[in-house]
mmCIF file of all heavy atoms in Angstrom:
data_model
loop_
_atom_site.group_PDB
_atom_site.id
_atom_site.type_symbol
_atom_site.label_atom_id
_atom_site.label_comp_id
_atom_site.label_asym_id
_atom_site.label_seq_id
_atom_site.Cartn_x
_atom_site.Cartn_y
_atom_site.Cartn_z
ATOM 1 N N VAL A 130 209.374 210.874 236.597
ATOM 2 C CA VAL A 130 210.173 210.241 235.556
ATOM 3 C C VAL A 130 211.604 210.640 235.875
ATOM 4 O O VAL A 130 211.889 211.815 236.130
ATOM 5 C CB VAL A 130 209.763 210.738 234.154
ATOM 6 C CG1 VAL A 130 210.717 210.227 233.096
ATOM 7 C CG2 VAL A 130 208.331 210.316 233.850
ATOM 8 N N GLY A 131 212.532 209.676 235.909
ATOM 9 C CA GLY A 131 213.919 209.949 236.282
ATOM 10 C C GLY A 131 214.596 210.958 235.375
ATOM 11 O O GLY A 131 214.337 211.016 234.170
ATOM 12 N N LYS A 132 215.466 211.781 235.943
ATOM 13 C CA LYS A 132 216.166 212.836 235.197
ATOM 14 C C LYS A 132 216.906 212.337 233.958
ATOM 15 O O LYS A 132 216.908 213.017 232.939
ATOM 16 C CB LYS A 132 217.123 213.591 236.116
ATOM 17 C CG LYS A 132 216.407 214.505 237.062
ATOM 18 C CD LYS A 132 217.375 215.325 237.896
ATOM 19 C CE LYS A 132 216.574 216.189 238.849
ATOM 20 N NZ LYS A 132 217.412 217.011 239.689
ATOM 21 N N PRO A 133 217.537 211.154 233.991
ATOM 22 C CA PRO A 133 218.259 210.708 232.784
ATOM 23 C C PRO A 133 217.353 210.529 231.559
ATOM 24 O O PRO A 133 217.827 210.540 230.441
ATOM 25 C CB PRO A 133 218.862 209.361 233.195
ATOM 26 C CG PRO A 133 218.883 209.362 234.677
ATOM 27 C CD PRO A 133 217.734 210.223 235.107
ATOM 28 N N TYR A 134 216.043 210.411 231.789
ATOM 29 C CA TYR A 134 215.117 210.152 230.686
ATOM 30 C C TYR A 134 214.394 211.405 230.189
ATOM 31 O O TYR A 134 213.760 211.375 229.141
ATOM 32 C CB TYR A 134 214.078 209.107 231.121
ATOM 33 C CG TYR A 134 214.709 207.823 231.571
ATOM 34 C CD1 TYR A 134 214.911 207.569 232.924
ATOM 35 C CD2 TYR A 134 215.132 206.877 230.646
ATOM 36 C CE1 TYR A 134 215.507 206.389 233.349
ATOM 37 C CE2 TYR A 134 215.742 205.702 231.061
ATOM 38 C CZ TYR A 134 215.923 205.468 232.403
ATOM 39 O OH TYR A 134 216.515 204.307 232.812
ATOM 40 N N LEU A 135 214.470 212.489 230.927
ATOM 41 C CA LEU A 135 213.697 213.678 230.573
ATOM 42 C C LEU A 135 214.046 214.250 229.209
ATOM 43 O O LEU A 135 213.166 214.714 228.489
ATOM 44 C CB LEU A 135 213.840 214.752 231.654
ATOM 45 C CG LEU A 135 213.170 214.421 232.981
ATOM 46 C CD1 LEU A 135 213.434 215.524 233.991
ATOM 47 C CD2 LEU A 135 211.686 214.187 232.799
ATOM 48 N N SER A 136 215.323 214.216 228.832
ATOM 49 C CA SER A 136 215.704 214.785 227.527
ATOM 50 C C SER A 136 215.069 214.023 226.362
ATOM 51 O O SER A 136 214.904 214.570 225.278
ATOM 52 C CB SER A 136 217.223 214.810 227.378
ATOM 53 O OG SER A 136 217.727 213.488 227.397
ATOM 54 N N LEU A 137 214.675 212.791 226.580
ATOM 55 C CA LEU A 137 213.996 212.018 225.537
ATOM 56 C C LEU A 137 212.601 212.562 225.265
ATOM 57 O O LEU A 137 212.076 212.450 224.162
ATOM 58 C CB LEU A 137 213.878 210.544 225.941
ATOM 59 C CG LEU A 137 215.180 209.802 226.175
ATOM 60 C CD1 LEU A 137 214.889 208.427 226.773
ATOM 61 C CD2 LEU A 137 215.953 209.668 224.877
ATOM 62 N N PHE A 138 211.996 213.171 226.274
ATOM 63 C CA PHE A 138 210.619 213.647 226.158
ATOM 64 C C PHE A 138 210.521 215.149 225.932
ATOM 65 O O PHE A 138 209.482 215.641 225.501
ATOM 66 C CB PHE A 138 209.836 213.281 227.419
ATOM 67 C CG PHE A 138 209.706 211.804 227.610
ATOM 68 C CD1 PHE A 138 210.543 211.129 228.493
ATOM 69 C CD2 PHE A 138 208.765 211.078 226.908
ATOM 70 C CE1 PHE A 138 210.418 209.762 228.669
ATOM 71 C CE2 PHE A 138 208.635 209.714 227.073
ATOM 72 C CZ PHE A 138 209.473 209.046 227.961
ATOM 73 N N PHE A 139 211.580 215.893 226.234
ATOM 74 C CA PHE A 139 211.552 217.343 226.107
ATOM 75 C C PHE A 139 212.702 217.844 225.246
ATOM 76 O O PHE A 139 213.572 218.577 225.718
ATOM 77 C CB PHE A 139 211.610 218.003 227.492
ATOM 78 C CG PHE A 139 210.404 217.734 228.331
ATOM 79 C CD1 PHE A 139 210.437 216.771 229.320
ATOM 80 C CD2 PHE A 139 209.227 218.433 228.120
ATOM 81 C CE1 PHE A 139 209.327 216.506 230.095
ATOM 82 C CE2 PHE A 139 208.103 218.183 228.891
ATOM 83 C CZ PHE A 139 208.152 217.208 229.879
ATOM 84 N N PRO A 140 212.712 217.476 223.963
ATOM 85 C CA PRO A 140 213.800 217.932 223.102
ATOM 86 C C PRO A 140 213.700 219.417 222.773
ATOM 87 O O PRO A 140 214.689 220.057 222.477
ATOM 88 C CB PRO A 140 213.645 217.081 221.846
ATOM 89 C CG PRO A 140 212.201 216.709 221.828
ATOM 90 C CD PRO A 140 211.777 216.608 223.264
ATOM 91 N N ALA A 141 212.507 219.980 222.840
ATOM 92 C CA ALA A 141 212.313 221.394 222.494
ATOM 93 C C ALA A 141 212.049 222.192 223.769
ATOM 94 O O ALA A 141 211.404 221.711 224.692
ATOM 95 C CB ALA A 141 211.138 221.541 221.543
ATOM 96 N N GLU A 142 212.538 223.400 223.778
ATOM 97 C CA GLU A 142 212.362 224.266 224.949
ATOM 98 C C GLU A 142 210.905 224.660 225.183
ATOM 99 O O GLU A 142 210.522 224.961 226.292
ATOM 100 C CB GLU A 142 213.210 225.541 224.792
ATOM 101 C CG GLU A 142 214.686 225.302 224.966
ATOM 102 C CD GLU A 142 215.041 224.823 226.370
ATOM 103 O OE1 GLU A 142 214.487 225.342 227.351
ATOM 104 O OE2 GLU A 142 215.871 223.907 226.475
ATOM 105 N N ASN A 143 210.094 224.669 224.116
ATOM 106 C CA ASN A 143 208.720 225.137 224.268
ATOM 107 C C ASN A 143 207.761 224.050 224.778
ATOM 108 O O ASN A 143 206.606 224.319 225.008
ATOM 109 C CB ASN A 143 208.196 225.724 222.960
ATOM 110 C CG ASN A 143 208.216 224.719 221.830
ATOM 111 O OD1 ASN A 143 208.697 223.606 221.993
ATOM 112 N ND2 ASN A 143 207.703 225.115 220.686
ATOM 113 N N SER A 144 208.238 222.847 224.962
ATOM 114 C CA SER A 144 207.395 221.778 225.497
ATOM 115 C C SER A 144 207.240 221.957 227.004
ATOM 116 O O SER A 144 208.207 222.207 227.703
ATOM 117 C CB SER A 144 208.024 220.411 225.221
ATOM 118 O OG SER A 144 208.145 220.191 223.845
ATOM 119 N N HIS A 145 206.003 221.824 227.487
ATOM 120 C CA HIS A 145 205.755 221.981 228.919
ATOM 121 C C HIS A 145 205.367 220.667 229.588
ATOM 122 O O HIS A 145 205.690 220.451 230.744
ATOM 123 C CB HIS A 145 204.660 223.010 229.166
ATOM 124 C CG HIS A 145 205.018 224.355 228.652
ATOM 125 N ND1 HIS A 145 206.023 225.117 229.189
ATOM 126 C CD2 HIS A 145 204.511 225.085 227.633
ATOM 127 C CE1 HIS A 145 206.121 226.253 228.528
ATOM 128 N NE2 HIS A 145 205.214 226.254 227.582
ATOM 129 N N LEU A 146 204.635 219.811 228.846
ATOM 130 C CA LEU A 146 204.214 218.523 229.375
ATOM 131 C C LEU A 146 204.476 217.444 228.342
ATOM 132 O O LEU A 146 204.441 217.701 227.141
ATOM 133 C CB LEU A 146 202.712 218.528 229.706
ATOM 134 C CG LEU A 146 202.243 219.430 230.839
ATOM 135 C CD1 LEU A 146 200.723 219.394 230.946
ATOM 136 C CD2 LEU A 146 202.863 219.029 232.158
ATOM 137 N N ALA A 147 204.700 216.243 228.820
ATOM 138 C CA ALA A 147 204.876 215.092 227.929
ATOM 139 C C ALA A 147 204.029 213.950 228.467
ATOM 140 O O ALA A 147 203.820 213.823 229.673
ATOM 141 C CB ALA A 147 206.344 214.681 227.869
ATOM 142 N N GLY A 148 203.529 213.115 227.548
ATOM 143 C CA GLY A 148 202.695 211.994 227.939
ATOM 144 C C GLY A 148 203.485 210.697 227.959
ATOM 145 O O GLY A 148 204.415 210.506 227.172
ATOM 146 N N ARG A 149 203.110 209.801 228.876
ATOM 147 C CA ARG A 149 203.779 208.502 228.990
ATOM 148 C C ARG A 149 202.837 207.516 229.662
ATOM 149 O O ARG A 149 202.074 207.878 230.542
ATOM 150 C CB ARG A 149 205.037 208.646 229.827
ATOM 151 C CG ARG A 149 205.672 207.325 230.204
ATOM 152 C CD ARG A 149 207.134 207.473 230.447
ATOM 153 N NE ARG A 149 207.766 206.264 230.903
ATOM 154 C CZ ARG A 149 207.989 205.178 230.176
ATOM 155 N NH1 ARG A 149 207.576 205.124 228.937
ATOM 156 N NH2 ARG A 149 208.612 204.142 230.669
ATOM 157 N N MET A 150 202.927 206.267 229.246
ATOM 158 C CA MET A 150 202.196 205.188 229.914
ATOM 159 C C MET A 150 202.956 204.859 231.192
ATOM 160 O O MET A 150 204.179 204.706 231.152
ATOM 161 C CB MET A 150 202.136 203.969 228.997
ATOM 162 C CG MET A 150 201.428 202.790 229.592
ATOM 163 S SD MET A 150 199.649 202.930 229.651
ATOM 164 C CE MET A 150 199.206 202.617 227.961
ATOM 165 N N ILE A 151 202.247 204.804 232.314
ATOM 166 C CA ILE A 151 202.914 204.439 233.559
ATOM 167 C C ILE A 151 202.364 203.087 234.039
ATOM 168 O O ILE A 151 201.180 202.811 233.881
ATOM 169 C CB ILE A 151 202.786 205.526 234.647
ATOM 170 C CG1 ILE A 151 201.330 205.819 234.997
ATOM 171 C CG2 ILE A 151 203.481 206.797 234.217
ATOM 172 C CD1 ILE A 151 201.165 206.762 236.168
ATOM 173 N N PRO A 152 203.219 202.252 234.581
ATOM 174 C CA PRO A 152 202.796 200.917 235.007
ATOM 175 C C PRO A 152 201.628 200.971 235.993
ATOM 176 O O PRO A 152 201.671 201.710 236.967
ATOM 177 C CB PRO A 152 204.041 200.335 235.681
ATOM 178 C CG PRO A 152 205.178 201.126 235.128
ATOM 179 C CD PRO A 152 204.630 202.497 234.844
ATOM 180 N N GLY A 153 200.579 200.237 235.682
ATOM 181 C CA GLY A 153 199.417 200.157 236.554
ATOM 182 C C GLY A 153 198.582 201.412 236.612
ATOM 183 O O GLY A 153 197.625 201.488 237.357
ATOM 184 N N GLY A 154 198.941 202.425 235.825
ATOM 185 C CA GLY A 154 198.217 203.682 235.925
ATOM 186 C C GLY A 154 197.751 204.251 234.604
ATOM 187 O O GLY A 154 197.233 205.345 234.561
ATOM 188 N N GLY A 155 197.941 203.545 233.511
ATOM 189 C CA GLY A 155 197.516 204.070 232.215
ATOM 190 C C GLY A 155 198.376 205.239 231.778
ATOM 191 O O GLY A 155 199.542 205.355 232.152
ATOM 192 N N TRP A 156 197.780 206.133 231.010
ATOM 193 C CA TRP A 156 198.502 207.297 230.499
ATOM 194 C C TRP A 156 198.551 208.398 231.539
ATOM 195 O O TRP A 156 197.634 208.565 232.336
ATOM 196 C CB TRP A 156 197.829 207.829 229.238
ATOM 197 C CG TRP A 156 198.025 206.926 228.068
ATOM 198 C CD1 TRP A 156 197.127 206.032 227.570
ATOM 199 C CD2 TRP A 156 199.198 206.795 227.265
ATOM 200 N NE1 TRP A 156 197.670 205.359 226.502
ATOM 201 C CE2 TRP A 156 198.942 205.810 226.295
ATOM 202 C CE3 TRP A 156 200.441 207.408 227.282
ATOM 203 C CZ2 TRP A 156 199.874 205.436 225.346
ATOM 204 C CZ3 TRP A 156 201.371 207.036 226.336
ATOM 205 C CH2 TRP A 156 201.089 206.068 225.379
ATOM 206 N N ALA A 157 199.636 209.161 231.499
ATOM 207 C CA ALA A 157 199.814 210.295 232.404
ATOM 208 C C ALA A 157 200.621 211.369 231.686
ATOM 209 O O ALA A 157 201.310 211.097 230.710
ATOM 210 C CB ALA A 157 200.543 209.857 233.664
ATOM 211 N N TYR A 158 200.520 212.607 232.168
ATOM 212 C CA TYR A 158 201.363 213.706 231.686
ATOM 213 C C TYR A 158 202.302 214.108 232.813
ATOM 214 O O TYR A 158 201.911 214.112 233.988
ATOM 215 C CB TYR A 158 200.517 214.913 231.272
ATOM 216 C CG TYR A 158 199.952 214.796 229.880
ATOM 217 C CD1 TYR A 158 198.632 214.431 229.664
ATOM 218 C CD2 TYR A 158 200.751 215.048 228.771
ATOM 219 C CE1 TYR A 158 198.116 214.326 228.391
ATOM 220 C CE2 TYR A 158 200.253 214.947 227.484
ATOM 221 C CZ TYR A 158 198.931 214.584 227.306
ATOM 222 O OH TYR A 158 198.433 214.482 226.027
ATOM 223 N N PHE A 159 203.545 214.444 232.439
ATOM 224 C CA PHE A 159 204.513 214.906 233.426
ATOM 225 C C PHE A 159 205.172 216.179 232.915
ATOM 226 O O PHE A 159 205.183 216.469 231.725
ATOM 227 C CB PHE A 159 205.544 213.824 233.756
ATOM 228 C CG PHE A 159 206.318 213.305 232.583
ATOM 229 C CD1 PHE A 159 207.552 213.827 232.256
ATOM 230 C CD2 PHE A 159 205.804 212.273 231.803
ATOM 231 C CE1 PHE A 159 208.273 213.341 231.174
ATOM 232 C CE2 PHE A 159 206.518 211.778 230.726
ATOM 233 C CZ PHE A 159 207.757 212.319 230.404
ATOM 234 N N ASN A 160 205.728 216.961 233.865
ATOM 235 C CA ASN A 160 206.342 218.244 233.510
ATOM 236 C C ASN A 160 207.850 218.101 233.273
ATOM 237 O O ASN A 160 208.390 217.002 233.355
ATOM 238 C CB ASN A 160 206.023 219.309 234.564
ATOM 239 C CG ASN A 160 206.611 218.992 235.923
ATOM 240 O OD1 ASN A 160 207.565 218.223 236.068
ATOM 241 N ND2 ASN A 160 206.040 219.604 236.950
ATOM 242 N N LYS A 161 208.520 219.217 232.990
ATOM 243 C CA LYS A 161 209.957 219.214 232.673
ATOM 244 C C LYS A 161 210.837 218.719 233.820
ATOM 245 O O LYS A 161 211.976 218.350 233.609
ATOM 246 C CB LYS A 161 210.420 220.622 232.293
ATOM 247 C CG LYS A 161 209.952 221.072 230.960
ATOM 248 C CD LYS A 161 210.521 222.451 230.675
ATOM 249 C CE LYS A 161 210.232 222.850 229.255
ATOM 250 N NZ LYS A 161 210.902 224.077 228.884
ATOM 251 N N PHE A 162 210.294 218.727 235.023
ATOM 252 C CA PHE A 162 211.047 218.250 236.180
ATOM 253 C C PHE A 162 210.822 216.754 236.414
ATOM 254 O O PHE A 162 211.380 216.184 237.331
ATOM 255 C CB PHE A 162 210.671 219.044 237.428
ATOM 256 C CG PHE A 162 210.861 220.520 237.245
ATOM 257 C CD1 PHE A 162 209.770 221.342 237.047
ATOM 258 C CD2 PHE A 162 212.137 221.079 237.229
ATOM 259 C CE1 PHE A 162 209.938 222.705 236.852
ATOM 260 C CE2 PHE A 162 212.309 222.443 237.033
ATOM 261 C CZ PHE A 162 211.207 223.257 236.839
ATOM 262 N N GLY A 163 209.954 216.164 235.582
ATOM 263 C CA GLY A 163 209.657 214.745 235.689
ATOM 264 C C GLY A 163 208.467 214.420 236.562
ATOM 265 O O GLY A 163 208.034 213.274 236.631
ATOM 266 N N LEU A 164 207.917 215.418 237.247
ATOM 267 C CA LEU A 164 206.779 215.195 238.143
ATOM 268 C C LEU A 164 205.539 214.826 237.336
ATOM 269 O O LEU A 164 205.147 215.548 236.412
ATOM 270 C CB LEU A 164 206.495 216.449 238.974
ATOM 271 C CG LEU A 164 205.259 216.380 239.887
ATOM 272 C CD1 LEU A 164 205.427 215.308 240.961
ATOM 273 C CD2 LEU A 164 205.004 217.742 240.507
#
């Protein structure tokens, strides 16, 4: 997930993973680095 969008998913410091629908791949979890 591109860096400009990460702050939308990680507003709190204690969050480690965030979920997002990815095109053609259903739901996925990514880390604070966007991976």
Side-chain angles (χ1 to χ4, degrees):
V130 172
K132 286 184 182 180
Y134 303 98
L135 291 177
S136 63
L137 299 171
F138 296 100
F139 294 100
E142 287 297 319
N143 59 355
S144 299
H145 299 293
L146 294 175
R149 170 154 176 71
M150 179 75 77
I151 59 173
W156 289 101
Y158 278 101
F159 57 95
N160 64 21
K161 287 182 172 188
F162 304 104
L164 176 64

